[in-house]
Amino acid sequence: MIKQEDVYKIGKLGKPHGVKGELSFMFDDDIFDRTDADYLVLLIDGILVPFFIEEYRFRSGETALMKFCDIDTLEQARQLTGCEVYFPRDISDGDEDTASWAEIIGYKLVDAQSNKTVGRIVSVDDATINILFELEDGTLIPASEELITHVDKTDKSITMRLPEGILEL
C-alpha cells in the first residue's frame, strides 16, 4: 500500500483529450520526465493508486498529454479527470542535499541555530522571484538557498539559518 509520506504532489489531471484515453496533465514539477519513472500515483477516492505511463507529450512548460496503460477510452479517461497526481519520493532525481520545491512539501523546517523544529512546510509560493515556504501555522519563511544549510531526505527536514526575528512577525 502506498502511503502519503512516500509520495509528493506534482499536479492534477484535467479533461480527456481525444477518444483514446489521453488526459490533460497540469504539473508543477516535471520530475516524471527527468527520471526513469514507469508510473505516477493518482489519488482516487482517498486511496493512492499507481498508474503505469504508456506515453506522454508536452504541450507547454506546465501541461502535458498523458496516456496511462489500460486507459483506452474516453469514458475511462473521464473517470480520472480531476485526480491529483503524485510522484514517489524514492525515485526522485535530487541528491541528498537537494530537492525540488514540490518534493519538500510536508518536510519539517529546523532552525540551524537552536536545532528546534519551527513547523511543517505546507506549500511553497514560487509565484515571484522571492520564494517563500508557508508553514502550517501560516508563517511565511524566505526560501533563499543561501539560508538553507542542509536538506535531509531521510528525515524529511530542511535546516535553515533563519533571519533574526522572522518567527515573531
Side-chain angles (χ1 to χ4, degrees):
M1 179 174 195
I2 301 172
K3 297 178 186 158
Q4 188 71 42
E5 59 267 14
D6 297 334
V7 296
Y8 64 97
K9 186 177 175 187
I10 62 168
K12 188 174 186 173
L13 293 177
K15 298 186 295 186
H17 180 80
V19 295
K20 301 202 182 218
E22 276 189 320
L23 287 143
S24 176
F25 172 37
M26 289 81 61
F27 56 88
D28 300 319
D29 188 339
D30 65 354
I31 184 86
F32 63 94
D33 188 53
R34 296 191 317 262
T35 62
D36 195 18
D38 294 327
Y39 67 96
L40 295 175
V41 178
L42 305 184
L43 183 64
I44 300 176
D45 296 328
I47 299 171
L48 294 166
V49 181
F51 278 79
F52 286 87
I53 300 168
E54 186 172 311
E55 65 181 357
Y56 62 87
R57 63 186 189 275
F58 288 99
R59 294 191 73 173
S60 73
E62 295 141 2
T63 308
L65 293 177
M66 182 67 64
K67 173 75 173 76
F68 293 110
C69 294
D70 300 323
I71 303 298
D72 299 316
T73 67
L74 175 62
E75 199 52 48
Q76 289 173 318
R78 271 194 188 129
Q79 293 176 357
L80 300 178
T81 298
C83 285
E84 292 180 349
V85 181
Y86 293 82
F87 194 81
R89 289 184 190 275
D90 63 341
I91 58 175
S92 69
D93 64 345
D95 59 30
E96 188 59 33
D97 292 326
T98 62
S100 71
W101 293 131
E103 187 177 355
I104 63 169
I105 292 174
Y107 276 37
K108 62 184 174 183
L109 187 66
V110 178
D111 180 8
Q113 298 189 304
S114 68
N115 208 30
K116 291 185 180 177
T117 299
V118 175
R120 195 159 299 278
I121 299 170
V122 294
S123 71
V124 177
D125 180 355
D126 61 354
T128 67
I129 195 164
N130 298 315
I131 299 169
L132 300 169
F133 293 144
E134 181 182 0
L135 303 182
E136 54 203 349
D137 66 357
T139 303
L140 297 174
I141 305 288
S144 170
E145 291 188 27
E146 293 86 36
L147 299 176
I148 297 172
T149 59
H150 184 68
V151 176
D152 186 338
K153 287 187 165 188
T154 305
D155 188 40
K156 295 185 176 87
S157 66
I158 295 178
T159 304
M160 293 182 71
R161 284 186 319 275
L162 296 175
E164 192 172 323
I166 191 78
L167 298 176
E168 282 80 42
L169 296 176

